[in-house]
Amino acid sequence: PEIASVIQTADNLCNGDVNAAISISINNTVGTPPFVINVNNDTTGTDYGTQTSGLPAGDYTITLTDVNSCEDIETITITEPTPINVVHTSLPITCDVLSGGV
């Protein structure tokens, strides 16, 4: 079998989202159907099976297997924005005695 292409079709808009999606195109002229796709997140070790949407960021291995157990493998990296890091400081309240404060 042959994976013609693997492309990301939806992004994770925020850090930690699980909204990414990929599209997998198969060259049907190579290999013997039926074909089975497996999506594995190598970063987390999560096997998503045939799921191609609702994916978190990470490095993925896509495996295409035909009826004769022949395989083609492609990889893709799904990214996410860096987390927003809020840094705040506080200023103590002060009284101005010269402007009428007691």
Side-chain angles (χ1 to χ4, degrees):
E2 181 180 78
I3 298 172
S5 68
V6 177
I7 60 169
Q8 187 171 337
T9 57
D11 297 327
N12 285 317
L13 300 179
C14 296
N15 186 275
D17 275 354
V18 291
N19 298 323
I22 58 174
S23 175
I24 303 165
S25 297
I26 299 170
N27 179 352
N28 291 323
T29 64
V30 179
T32 306
F35 301 110
V36 177
I37 294 171
N38 188 74
V39 177
N40 189 74
N41 184 323
D42 302 326
T43 304
T44 64
T46 303
D47 187 344
Y48 286 91
T50 58
Q51 180 179 333
T52 58
S53 62
L55 303 173
D59 294 324
Y60 286 81
T61 297
I62 314 304
T63 305
L64 176 65
T65 307
D66 75 358
V67 73
N68 296 319
S69 298
C70 296
E71 294 180 338
D72 189 22
I73 297 172
E74 292 287 335
T75 59
I76 188 170
T77 299
I78 295 176
T79 60
E80 66 185 345
T82 55
I84 296 172
N85 186 12
V86 177
V87 177
H88 60 84
T89 57
S90 60
L91 299 175
I93 298 172
T94 58
C95 294
D96 186 355
V97 177
L98 297 177
S99 57
V102 178

